[in-house]
Amino acid sequence: MLGLKLPTDPRWVNIVEKNIHEILTDHAFCEQKATSTAISFIVLFPEYTDLVQEMTALVKEEISHFKMVHDKIIARGWTLGRDRKDEYVNKLMTFFPKGGSRVDFMVNKLLYAALIEARSCERFRLLSEEINDAELAEFYRNLMASEANHYTMFLGFARKYGKREEVDKKWQDLLNFEAEIMKELGTKETMHG
């Protein structure tokens, strides 16, 4: 369903289980960055009313997810750790060349967001099925559907505002590029790494 070309190695969950605090901290910051991304769409593309409406709803949802993850951290007697670079996102963002039209920029940004949400959904599914912590398994099962909806929303907007054939080619090329990135990742207790 997600179209990912390379699934996460299930052994990644074993890495996560050794440091739950780290994955929860990383996850919290992923939700904060998702909130910021939604806000950036509103700021950059205010004339696209339907996009602004959806991004406004997404801001509320993503910040509520941040709070949910933060609450899990507090409930376990921890504090939110510091943010760190997201190697996955930084590498992913090098795919599309700079420049081009404003619409191209928006479409590319939408495709990046769709792929990040798709990978998050896949990782949430894996955690919900494989992690030995029953509370977190249920938590990630519940979040999984939201991520899938976000992925399809971003991809849908890219296809709506870009030329469908070009967007679909870009999407497939980006999926292939992401698979190459994923060959190097999956060894850290981070949501995408």
Side-chain angles (χ1 to χ4, degrees):
M1 174 193 107
L2 298 170
L4 299 172
K5 304 288 186 185
L6 183 68
T8 297
D9 185 326
R11 292 175 294 184
W12 170 76
V13 176
N14 301 332
I15 296 166
V16 166
E17 287 180 317
K18 291 177 182 164
N19 202 335
I20 299 293
H21 184 217
E22 281 299 310
I23 193 70
L24 289 175
T25 291
D26 187 66
H27 180 190
F29 281 108
C30 287
E31 298 293 354
Q32 178 272 317
K33 290 169 190 168
T35 304
S36 297
T37 296
I39 292 169
S40 76
F41 276 108
I42 295 168
V43 172
L44 292 169
F45 310 106
E47 68 275 23
Y48 294 90
T49 302
D50 55 346
L51 181 67
V52 170
Q53 289 291 99
E54 286 295 325
M55 292 302 111
T56 302
L58 187 60
V59 167
K60 292 176 186 175
E61 186 177 350
E62 296 289 20
I63 203 65
S64 75
H65 290 174
F66 172 86
K67 181 169 179 6
M68 289 164 57
V69 178
H70 191 231
D71 288 347
K72 292 270 180 232
I73 292 169
I74 294 167
R76 290 169 184 246
W78 301 323
T79 58
L80 180 64
R82 297 185 67 80
D83 189 17
R84 80 261 313 147
K85 284 188 204 176
D86 190 326
E87 189 178 358
Y88 168 82
V89 171
N90 289 339
K91 287 182 179 189
L92 192 65
M93 297 293 213
T94 66
F95 182 72
F96 292 121
K98 304 284 186 228
S101 73
R102 193 159 181 275
V103 171
D104 285 340
F105 172 64
M106 179 177 66
V107 165
N108 294 348
K109 190 171 170 64
L110 287 163
L111 291 176
Y112 283 140
L115 187 47
I116 293 165
E117 295 286 352
R119 182 57 71 181
S120 297
C121 180
E122 187 248 6
R123 289 280 173 102
F124 289 178
R125 181 196 56 76
L126 194 58
L127 287 169
S128 75
E129 294 172 355
E130 301 293 333
I131 200 163
N132 288 318
D133 183 316
E135 179 193 356
L136 287 181
E138 182 180 352
F139 179 63
Y140 283 109
R141 190 173 305 109
N142 292 335
L143 285 178
M144 190 173 53
S146 290
E147 299 304 304
N149 290 335
H150 301 167
Y151 144 74
T152 56
M153 176 193 61
F154 282 121
L155 189 55
F157 275 124
R159 288 174 170 157
K160 178 178 182 175
Y161 292 119
K163 294 182 177 116
R164 176 65 188 256
E165 196 172 296
E166 287 177 20
V167 169
D168 287 346
K169 179 171 182 349
K170 280 183 172 186
W171 177 241
Q172 289 306 311
D173 291 345
L174 183 60
L175 285 167
N176 290 330
F177 180 73
E178 194 257 4
E180 291 302 312
I181 291 172
M182 290 307 294
K183 287 178 183 176
E184 304 168 18
L185 301 175
T187 60
K188 296 178 184 168
E189 60 279 327
T190 59
M191 199 47 71
H192 300 115

